[in-house]
Amino acid sequence: MEVLVVDDEPAVRIVLDLSLGKAGHRVTVCDSGTAALDLLSQSTPAIALIDLSLPKVHGMTVLAAVRAAKPELPIIVISGMLPEFDAAMLEREGMTVQNGVYCLAKPFSGKQLQRLMQDALAWRA
């Protein structure tokens, strides 16, 4: 399965690339929202993991653009900010589990990520 990872922190990108690759996924990493939007105009991954704190184009702007362009794409928002704040902000913007947007607070375990990825992919089905 193809997974898009969008995070400005090199360590997070490396860890997710290695762990998801080890689990058998094809991983594409982007370090900015601009790069992610360019990539999504050319391909459709099975799922996207998007950090909210991105340079140049804020994560919420990226989320809105991804949701508008690819409404069927499950998204997991990964963020090191306060999870309650992020969840409330996402909900205000209409980004909810009902529309395939899930929230995962950093730091998280591989098991937490795999479980949430399964939930997100089940939403798409």
Side-chain angles (χ1 to χ4, degrees), residues 74 80 93:
E93 297 296 324

Side-chain angles (χ1 to χ4, degrees), residues 44-118:
T44 302
I47 192 167
L49 283 63
I50 302 174
D51 184 18
L52 278 185
S53 299
L54 295 171
K56 297 180 185 173
V57 181
H58 188 269
M60 285 303 294
T61 303
V62 174
L63 286 174
V66 169
R67 184 47 68 228
K70 311 262 184 194
E72 74 290 348
L73 179 66
I75 300 169
I76 297 177
V77 174
I78 52 176
S79 178
M81 296 167 50
L82 294 172
E84 299 82 16
F85 172 78
D86 288 342
M89 180 174 57
L90 290 167
E91 191 171 322
R92 280 193 307 274
E93 297 296 324
M95 305 280 181
T96 64
V97 172
Q98 288 77 22
N99 353 350
V101 179
Y102 298 76
C103 198
L104 184 60
K106 294 177 188 174
F108 50 84
S109 70
K111 283 186 179 185
Q112 288 173 309
L113 177 58
Q114 288 296 330
R115 188 171 39 246
L116 199 54
M117 285 176 65
Q118 289 173 348

Side-chain angles (χ1 to χ4, degrees), residues 1-4 39-40 43-48 70 72-74 124:
M1 164 177 62
E2 187 172 338
V3 179
L4 172 63
L39 180 92
L40 284 170
S43 70
T44 302
I47 192 167
K70 311 262 184 194
E72 74 290 348
L73 179 66
R124 188 168 102 173

